Amino acid sequence: MPAVSKGDGMRGLAVFISDIRNCKSKEAEIKRINKELANIRSKFKGDKALDGYSKKKYVCKLLFIFLLGHDIDFGHMEAVNLLSSNRYTEKQIGYLFISVLVNSNSELIRLINNAIKNDLASRNPTFMGLALHCIANVGSREMAEAFAGEIPRILVAGDTMDSVKQSAALCLLRLYRTSPDLVPMGDWTSRVVHLLNDQHLGVVTAATSLITTLAQKNPEEFKTSVSLAVSRLSRIVTSASTDLQDYTYYFVPAPWLSVKLLRLLQCYPPPEDPAVRGRLTECLEAILNKAQEPPKSKKVQHSNAKNAVLFEAISLVIHHDSEPNLLVRACNQLGQFLQHRETNLRYLALESMCTLASSEFSHEAVKAHIETVINALKTERDVSVRQRAVDLLYAMCDRSNAQQIVAEMLSYLETADYSIREEIVLKVAILAEKYAVDYTWYVDTILNLIRIAGDYVSEEVWYRVIQIVINRDDVQGYAAKTVFEALQASACHENLVKVGGYILGEFGNLIAGDPRSSPLTQFHLLHSKFHLCSVPTRALLLSTYIKFVNLFPEVKGTIQDVLRSDSQLKNADVELQQRAVEYLRLSTVASTDILATVLEEMPPFPERESSILAKLKKKKGPSTVTDLEEAKRERSADVNGGPEPAPSTPSPSADLLGLGAAPPVPAGPPPSSGGLLVDVFSDSPSASASCPRGASLSPECVPARRQPVSIPVAPHPAGPAPWTPLTHTLFLVPRFVCKNNGVLFENQLLQIGLKSEFRQNLGRMFIFYGNKTSTQFLNFTPTLICSDDLQANILGPVTKPVDPAVDGGAQVQQAVNIECVSDFTEAPVLNIQFRYGGTFQNVSVKLPITLNKFFQPTEMASQDFFQRWKQLSNPQQEVQSIFKAKHPMDTEVTKAKIIGFGSALLEEVDPNPANFVGAGIIHTRTAQIGCLLRLEPNLQAQMYRLTLRTSRETVSQRLCELLSEQF
Amino acid sequence: MMQFMLLFSRQGKLRLQKWYVPLSDKEKKKITRELVQTVLARKPKMCSFLEWRDLKIVYKRYASLYFCCAIEDQDNELITLEIIHRYVELLDKYFGSVCELDIIFNFEKAYFILDEFLLGGEVQETSKKNVLKAIEQADLLQEDSKPRSARLQNCMKS
């Protein structure tokens, strides 16, 4: 046996560990472990009571097995028993087991807490220490509830041993982190602050951590800690290297404590008291001075400890950001480290300089090191160090050096590690945009980015270049010319085809005068890339072609030929096929005027925060980027009048590029594979009134205005795909409450589309069933299921049966007639059964026939509105709901939804212009019910209050339910 | 604060794990697997720090063992490197030229020493004397008073 355990040898444990180590295979190990587990289980269950030693040994074995990575589901009780043993080593193993294998079993927690309570009360410092360690290791809420009151008393009691005080301080810290609400501030807090003066440096070390965390949350209460921390720090810094005895570490006095004290001071602004402030400045200067002194030892531990304090001091100097002299000294010190032979120091210097770069006092001093940093980018062998260099270049970039930095980053990109390419691409894109003096440089840079690292250019980047080109007319001609030239390359990245396609579609006319880039040449150039591209890019190119039809009437024939070809019209991809069909039709039937209107140039995008910046923030975590950005934006605000990324209220109607605010895409259950079919149908004012880019974030959103057409159905390209045989969507698809047409349901086999119209109390709904596969559906039987109650209230719905065989790729339609007899709350269920490839399929969806469909809008003046409002003041007539906004709170979208809901939107009725009011009449066969509604948004709280007043309680109730789901 | 500390061998075997934040066993295993892989793939001369998720990883290799700590964004990398070193010194002093086998066979002691040194992810006591005093005292409290077993042979440096 290679080793004998030290101290309290447990021979059986050592043997077991040896056995495990001698196992030749994983299987053998598992076998040995299972044997041992069975043995332990039988011992624990056996009739013979185990002595403490055996219990300890077996618990320890279980712990070992757990640490090997196996699950342990017994032995907890035995471990808890050990806690109450009088023998220290048994107690110790019990606590260790509990600490490692915490179990939220409440029965046990109570027993554990009992044992801890006894040990805390034992006044035996070793036992108290064990109990406190256990609380600090587990730190559960139950423990906080049991001990958060007791521990502060132990911490500040005069007769507590130093070692117990240390444990109590950190134990309390742990509980405060888990459950701050359970740790009450009180008299003890001032006494805790005075622990900074304690004789015992170990106590000060532990207490400083506690005080730092408490001070972050309660700065006022712990303000006195500043002067105490400064005087403590000063005593350490000025002490001779041997004064602190065992707290000196490789000739550095109390480095851990120094770092902690400097951390504590970073919770506060520079001290106000000039004496304290002066003393602190002396300390910081002394620390900076020491960095210049010859080392007292050659050991790396000496320099690490010394520099740990130095870096923390520099952090404090940067945090205060008030002493230009210290900031510049810090910067020079870091500059020395940039060329140090220790990789660790170079790494930290680059990291620390990043924060220095955002201070106005040291920004210039940091810039002086640009050559060194660029050199680091080229020569560092460790990718994490190069990453820091990229970060620093990004942080030190301003207008004066942007061209150089962007060029260096671009050239580094050619050989950069794959892991950091995307981030560099984002950074280059942001810098190029932000510091662009003329936008031709910007366009060149982005095209270069695509050329060098096309695969890493995310959509945000190419969206953004298009956004900028569209918004700046001085660069459009140049952009068109440049993409045209770039596209000449025999192999160009698909992202370039996308940018090229989009820009030429918008601004190809600006270069069409040159015979070398005539309309036909442009078209042929783009079309030569077509077959190499993915579906989304092809879709985009088709849109470019239709735009060409408008821009260049002379190529219309050529383009129509292309659209008419089988590879387009009968393309296996639904989206491509649909575009080809629609565009071909559009180009044939529409007059020049209509074409010019539908296909007019994209309007400028609203200025907003760069979506790339948003992406970088997401990648790097918000804090890191924001601070630098904010700081830099302030500095450069006047420098760049261009499209400085200015945060603006995101409007869902302009969201091609925005990431921050996604448009309120309905989160309904039908998984619409194309995402587009929904747009095509959308007839709600919000979609049709806004420009088409309101529709989608994806590149499928094209610069052409799209017309409603019937449900396109394409044969499925592949064979039967995996699908779920039974699908139920038995809640109402919310977006259909405010609109009548669209795709209600879609899976891999079947698509169900709706078109409906309602007038007064009558309605007619067309249901389209599309077979998305290439195989015939058999026994196709749609059935409408209404409860008796519903049947009585909505007459019908009368349906004509459909043909039971639906061919592959075909579409059948069915009409439903509806009459509203009286108000109702349920919705009918559409059940569809059919056989596909020998399997029985069953799909159920709710049909969006809702009470509000029978709304007739009523216009009325403010006076009338309020008169009627008052008339409906009976408590049964009013229903109110207060709810959180589920979508971005956009006025235009809200208006569109209220109109889509069916009521009239009354402008200038409510004295508060932010509120919306509406009025209408619900028509049923038996009655007409007048309805008034009022919607009050609260932007700050992101809440709405919706009030409905109608003459019938059930109607108020139902309308309120339906409408409140919409926002 | 330190979020966790892992000790693992060059073969990727986990020898000690200490978690200062509550995580599920599944998450712990995932983190361990990912970090062991990342750290073992790094070359000897590379720097001891790396960014990982939103944490900073500080690691150092001693003979056959890697000591790896995860600290938060505001924490000091160099002092963490010395936390590792001080822990190694404590183990060394206690076991007398510590080696990987000591930590395997006396894993419970390795935990006890760590608890005296770090608690709740913060340094509790930096004095080598004080930490070892606490552990030795505990050893003396053994009721059995068995004879102290022989010191371990030095396998780490061999």
Side-chain angles (χ1 to χ4, degrees):
Chain A
M1 203 168 59
V4 182
S5 65
K6 181 177 186 294
D8 54 324
M10 285 179 277
R11 207 180 138 72
L13 176 67
V15 171
F16 175 58
I17 296 175
S18 291
D19 282 0
I20 295 287
R21 285 178 52 75
N22 290 335
C23 285
K24 294 275 183 290
S25 66
K26 192 80 197 159
E27 288 71 32
E29 182 185 309
I30 291 172
K31 213 173 142 200
R32 179 68 185 87
I33 284 170
N34 285 337
K35 188 180 148 203
E36 192 63 40
L37 285 175
N39 173 41
I40 298 173
R41 202 170 277 153
S42 75
K43 295 279 185 202
F44 283 169
K45 277 196 184 145
D47 310 329
K48 235 173 51 187
L50 287 177
D51 61 13
Y53 171 79
S54 310
K55 224 183 269 174
K56 176 181 85 170
K57 183 179 72 185
Y58 293 130
V59 165
C60 215
K61 279 183 181 177
L62 287 178
L63 192 54
F64 181 78
I65 294 171
F66 176 79
L67 291 170
L68 278 179
H70 302 271
D71 293 333
I72 293 296
D73 54 5
F74 70 103
H76 300 79
M77 201 57 213
E78 284 72 15
V80 174
N81 283 341
L82 286 177
L83 296 186
S84 35
S85 163
N86 283 325
R87 300 187 171 177
Y88 180 77
T89 52
E90 289 169 16
K91 196 188 271 293
Q92 201 181 19
I93 293 291
Y95 272 124
L96 180 60
F97 185 93
I98 302 294
S99 303
V100 176
L101 275 120
V102 239
N103 199 311
S104 54
N105 187 325
S106 59
E107 281 302 302
L108 281 178
I109 283 285
R110 209 172 314 134
L111 292 171
I112 295 167
N113 280 355
N114 256 337
I116 292 176
K117 202 165 278 167
N118 289 338
D119 281 335
L120 285 183
S122 70
R123 310 190 63 79
N124 172 338
T126 11
F127 286 8
M128 287 173 88
L130 280 182
L132 289 168
H133 289 180
C134 181
I135 301 174
N137 281 325
V138 178
S140 68
R141 198 159 169 89
E142 289 90 343
M143 285 193 175
E145 275 162 5
F147 303 109
E150 173 70 9
I151 292 168
R153 275 199 293 279
I154 298 176
L155 176 59
V156 296
D159 57 347
T160 306
M161 297 261 297
D162 289 331
S163 67
V164 175
K165 264 190 203 164
Q166 287 166 274
S167 299
L170 293 178
C171 185
L172 186 59
L173 171 57
R174 172 68 194 258
L175 294 185
Y176 185 76
R177 278 185 181 138
T178 345
S179 321
D181 53 313
L182 295 178
V183 179
M185 298 291 125
D187 297 344
W188 59 274
T189 48
S190 59
R191 301 179 64 182
V192 162
V193 174
H194 282 275
L195 290 177
L196 288 172
N197 266 337
D198 203 278
Q199 297 263 312
H200 190 286
L201 278 187
V203 172
V204 187
T205 306
T208 309
S209 291
L210 173 65
I211 294 166
T212 304
T213 305
L214 293 172
Q216 277 162 354
K217 298 270 170 59
N218 322 277
E220 243 346 271
E221 293 213 36
F222 290 87
K223 227 172 151 181
T224 45
S225 64
V226 172
S227 59
L228 291 174
V230 169
S231 66
R232 188 96 231 185
L233 182 68
S234 158
R235 270 179 281 161
I236 296 171
V237 171
T238 52
S239 65
S241 54
T242 49
D243 285 357
L244 304 177
Q245 293 161 354
D246 213 26
Y247 289 92
T248 299
Y249 180 81
Y250 290 88
F251 303 101
V252 182
W256 283 282
L257 180 54
S258 308
V259 166
K260 284 187 182 191
L261 291 168
L262 288 161
R263 246 324 261 294
L264 168 58
L265 291 170
Q266 287 172 62
C267 301
Y268 290 93
E272 282 158 23
D273 180 344
V276 178
R277 189 168 177 158
R279 206 161 173 200
L280 177 58
T281 307
E282 276 168 27
C283 285
L284 294 170
E285 276 169 349
I287 293 170
L288 282 164
N289 289 342
K290 277 188 188 176
Q292 299 299 327
E293 288 168 13
K296 293 196 175 70
S297 155
K298 284 216 169 76
K299 294 244 182 190
V300 67
Q301 283 76 26
H302 170 72
S303 70
N304 279 350
K306 192 165 126 183
N307 291 328
V309 178
L310 175 63
F311 275 105
E312 206 59 54
I314 291 177
S315 291
L316 181 61
V317 169
I318 297 172
H319 169 78
H320 285 170
D321 198 14
S322 60
E323 300 266 1
N325 175 32
L326 285 176
L327 279 162
V328 170
R329 279 192 70 182
C331 187
N332 293 339
Q333 181 61 52
L334 294 175
Q336 286 182 20
F337 284 153
L338 283 182
Q339 318 215 34
H340 202 277
R341 60 186 169 78
E342 279 271 334
T343 315
N344 287 346
L345 285 179
R346 294 198 303 275
Y347 176 96
L348 293 175
L350 289 166
E351 188 187 40
S352 195
M353 260 199 185
C354 260
T355 38
L356 264 183
S358 58
S359 161
E360 56 170 318
F361 299 116
S362 49
H363 181 76
E364 287 304 316
V366 171
K367 273 168 64 184
H369 298 284
I370 185 166
E371 296 303 333
T372 319
V373 182
I374 288 173
N375 197 40
L377 193 61
K378 290 177 175 160
T379 56
E380 282 292 348
R381 276 186 297 175
D382 183 348
V383 54
S384 38
V385 185
R386 289 197 297 271
Q387 165 91 61
R388 290 281 85 81
V390 171
D391 288 350
L392 179 53
L393 283 178
Y394 179 74
M396 67 161 69
C397 191
D398 62 18
R399 227 186 180 193
S400 69
N401 55 20
Q403 302 243 356
Q404 185 190 7
I405 285 177
V406 166
E408 290 294 347
M409 282 189 171
L410 270 176
S411 84
Y412 172 59
L413 194 54
E414 309 235 18
T415 54
D417 311 71
Y418 296 112
S419 54
I420 59 175
R421 277 196 186 187
E422 191 188 351
E423 200 187 312
I424 297 177
V425 167
L426 290 173
K427 287 186 164 153
V428 169
I430 291 168
L431 293 178
E433 176 186 336
K434 197 160 173 180
Y435 301 113
V437 182
D438 72 292
Y439 279 82
T440 58
W441 174 70
Y442 169 75
V443 169
D444 286 341
T445 303
I446 301 294
L447 290 182
N448 259 332
L449 265 187
I450 297 176
R451 184 179 56 76
I452 296 168
D455 285 342
Y456 297 88
V457 172
S458 55
E459 300 200 317
E460 293 79 10
V461 173
W462 76 260
Y463 286 174
R464 187 70 184 161
V465 68
I466 285 170
Q467 196 177 32
I468 285 177
V469 169
I470 284 179
N471 284 14
R472 301 198 60 95
D473 42 21
D474 53 338
V475 77
Q476 288 159 357
Y478 180 81
K481 182 163 158 284
T482 315
V483 292
F484 180 79
E485 278 160 11
L487 283 168
Q488 307 279 348
S490 53
C492 51
H493 195 274
E494 192 166 332
N495 278 333
L496 182 66
V497 180
K498 290 179 186 165
V499 175
Y502 202 112
I503 289 182
L504 291 180
E506 294 293 319
F507 310 113
N509 54 329
L510 299 178
I511 57 167
D514 188 330
R516 283 166 302 177
S517 50
S518 70
L520 202 60
T521 323
Q522 288 185 35
F523 172 72
H524 283 310
L525 181 59
L526 284 174
H527 200 55
S528 70
K529 317 282 179 195
F530 188 90
H531 63 287
L532 299 169
C533 293
S534 65
V535 169
T537 310
R538 289 191 199 190
L540 187 149
L541 285 178
L542 287 178
S543 300
T544 303
Y545 298 168
I546 189 69
K547 287 228 147 189
F548 275 0
V549 168
N550 175 47
L551 287 181
F552 315 121
E554 64 266 40
V555 299
K556 182 169 166 181
T558 319
I559 286 172
Q560 283 178 328
D561 287 345
V562 168
L563 292 175
R564 204 178 286 124
S565 69
D566 277 0
S567 61
Q568 309 297 351
L569 268 194
K570 294 188 181 164
N571 196 294
D573 185 88
V574 181
E575 178 56 29
L576 292 181
Q577 190 192 59
Q578 183 187 349
R579 286 194 189 206
V581 173
E582 286 179 28
Y583 293 162
L584 182 59
R585 191 81 192 125
L586 182 64
S587 70
T588 325
V589 298
S591 68
T592 335
D593 283 353
I594 292 180
L595 270 184
T597 315
V598 173
L599 301 168
E600 75 180 345
E601 195 179 296
M602 294 294 280
F605 289 80
E607 284 307 334
R608 59 190 310 155
E609 183 177 14
S610 160
S611 47
I612 314 174
L613 203 55
K615 169 133 182 166
L616 187 67
K617 279 181 189 167
K618 213 164 99 190
K619 227 174 130 63
K620 298 287 283 181
S623 56
T624 44
V625 185
T626 323
D627 297 346
L628 283 174
E629 283 314 312
E630 307 281 76
K632 237 192 289 177
R633 187 173 301 144
E634 276 165 32
R635 215 177 38 243
S636 65
D638 55 331
V639 181
N640 208 345
E644 185 79 15
S648 65
T649 334
S651 117
S653 62
D655 233 309
L656 174 58
L657 304 185
L659 281 181
V665 179
S672 163
S673 59
L676 267 178
L677 300 181
V678 183
D679 307 347
V680 174
F681 273 101
S682 117
D683 63 348
S684 78
S686 70
S688 59
S690 66
C691 57
R693 61 170 107 105
S696 154
L697 284 171
S698 62
E700 291 140 357
C701 176
V702 293
R705 313 220 156 165
R706 313 188 21 97
Q707 307 293 304
V709 291
S710 61
I711 303 176
V713 176
H716 205 266
W723 34 257
T724 39
L726 179 65
T727 317
H728 287 288
T729 311
L730 286 182
F731 52 93
L732 208 57
V733 181
R735 67 171 187 281
F736 277 99
V737 170
C738 289
K739 64 182 217 162
N740 290 333
N741 305 337
V743 175
L744 178 65
F745 172 85
E746 184 166 14
N747 67 8
Q748 250 119 2
L749 306 177
L750 176 72
Q751 185 189 53
I752 304 175
L754 289 185
K755 253 186 157 173
S756 45
E757 49 190 10
F758 295 89
R759 183 153 304 149
Q760 299 198 324
N761 65 326
L762 299 176
R764 169 181 280 237
M765 180 177 269
F766 291 96
I767 309 174
F768 300 85
Y769 306 97
N771 180 346
K772 290 172 66 180
T773 71
S774 49
T775 318
Q776 199 182 41
F777 291 163
L778 294 171
N779 303 350
F780 190 86
T781 346
T783 329
L784 271 178
I785 305 163
C786 296
S787 67
D788 291 345
D789 192 32
L790 183 63
Q791 184 76 54
N793 288 330
I794 54 169
L795 201 65
V798 185
T799 55
K800 288 188 197 128
V802 296
D803 190 341
V806 182
D807 286 338
Q811 184 190 332
V812 293
Q813 104 178 36
Q814 189 179 30
V816 183
N817 293 317
I818 311 139
E819 185 186 357
C820 178
V821 181
S822 177
D823 64 284
F824 60 98
T825 46
E826 286 171 78
V829 173
L830 174 65
N831 174 262
I832 298 134
Q833 302 183 342
F834 59 96
R835 293 185 77 82
Y836 167 74
T839 325
F840 181 68
Q841 304 287 324
N842 192 341
V843 173
S844 286
V845 286
K846 277 214 170 173
L847 270 192
I849 300 173
T850 48
L851 184 56
N852 65 301
K853 300 291 181 195
F854 304 96
F855 238 133
Q856 288 286 303
T858 319
E859 292 292 342
M860 60 178 79
S862 176
Q863 206 182 348
D864 298 337
F865 182 86
F866 283 108
Q867 197 184 348
R868 287 178 205 209
W869 186 261
K870 279 188 202 117
Q871 282 164 2
L872 294 169
S873 57
N874 192 322
Q876 280 95 48
Q877 292 168 331
E878 180 184 288
V879 173
Q880 195 170 70
S881 161
I882 295 173
F883 50 93
K884 253 215 138 26
K886 289 192 281 285
H887 303 295
M889 298 177 75
D890 183 278
T891 311
E892 290 311 312
V893 174
T894 306
K895 284 182 179 171
K897 281 183 176 164
I898 291 175
I899 293 169
F901 191 64
S903 72
L905 180 72
L906 304 178
E907 306 268 10
E908 291 170 19
V909 165
D910 200 295
N912 179 351
N915 293 343
F916 306 91
V917 293
I921 296 168
I922 295 281
H923 288 259
T924 73
R925 190 204 281 174
T926 48
Q928 297 193 356
I929 302 140
C931 311
L932 302 177
L933 67 90
R934 186 181 198 197
L935 180 71
E936 297 157 278
N938 180 342
L939 276 173
Q940 220 156 20
Q942 290 284 305
M943 305 275 286
Y944 287 103
R945 177 162 68 187
L946 174 66
T947 316
L948 255 297
R949 285 191 179 183
T950 78
S951 48
R952 194 173 294 184
E953 189 183 356
T954 47
V955 173
S956 302
Q957 189 66 47
R958 181 60 182 156
L959 290 180
C960 185
E961 278 166 25
L962 286 169
L963 190 57
S964 58
E965 286 302 307
Q966 296 299 315
F967 302 103
Chain B
M1 72 178 269
M2 188 183 292
Q3 293 215 343
F4 55 85
M5 182 192 259
L6 303 174
L7 263 68
F8 49 88
S9 69
R10 272 167 68 191
Q11 290 75 35
K13 285 244 182 206
L14 191 58
R15 296 303 182 201
L16 185 137
Q17 44 175 319
K18 186 78 189 179
W19 305 86
Y20 297 108
V21 282
L23 291 169
S24 70
D25 285 346
K26 204 175 143 205
E27 182 71 3
K28 286 178 187 171
K29 280 184 184 165
K30 190 169 160 240
I31 291 175
T32 308
R33 214 179 317 124
E34 216 178 301
L35 268 184
V36 168
Q37 232 174 32
T38 313
V39 170
L40 287 180
R42 290 176 63 84
K43 298 191 184 75
K45 282 282 164 197
M46 286 186 163
C47 86
S48 310
F49 320 124
L50 52 127
E51 276 187 335
W52 183 80
R53 299 192 188 175
D54 54 346
L55 298 175
K56 300 197 279 199
I57 302 298
V58 178
Y59 72 93
K60 188 160 179 179
R61 185 177 147 187
Y62 286 85
S64 60
L65 270 188
Y66 283 86
F67 290 69
C68 175
C69 301
I71 54 174
E72 291 169 354
D73 189 48
Q74 294 298 309
D75 292 330
N76 189 309
E77 290 98 335
L78 282 175
I79 207 73
T80 309
L81 209 49
E82 294 319 299
I83 287 179
I84 293 176
H85 188 75
R86 168 83 352 150
Y87 182 48
V88 173
E89 284 184 349
L90 287 166
L91 292 171
D92 205 51
K93 187 97 189 232
Y94 180 76
F95 288 110
S97 288
V98 68
C99 71
E100 191 182 336
L101 281 180
D102 291 317
I103 295 170
I104 296 172
F105 279 91
N106 302 285
F107 66 95
E108 78 281 12
K109 295 289 181 210
Y111 278 100
F112 298 147
I113 295 172
L114 189 58
D115 270 355
E116 293 292 339
F117 176 40
L118 297 177
L119 192 60
E122 305 282 354
V123 175
Q124 172 172 224
E125 176 56 87
T126 65
S127 153
K128 217 162 26 175
K129 247 189 258 161
N130 287 350
V131 172
L132 289 175
K133 204 165 68 193
I135 296 288
E136 305 274 341
Q137 252 176 5
D139 279 349
L140 286 176
L141 276 173
Q142 291 174 83
E143 51 299 328
D144 302 5
S145 62
K146 283 182 197 159
R148 276 298 201 72
S149 0
R151 293 264 165 181
L152 293 178
Q153 65 271 44
N154 176 353
C155 357
M156 187 145 127
K157 271 114 200 173
S158 62

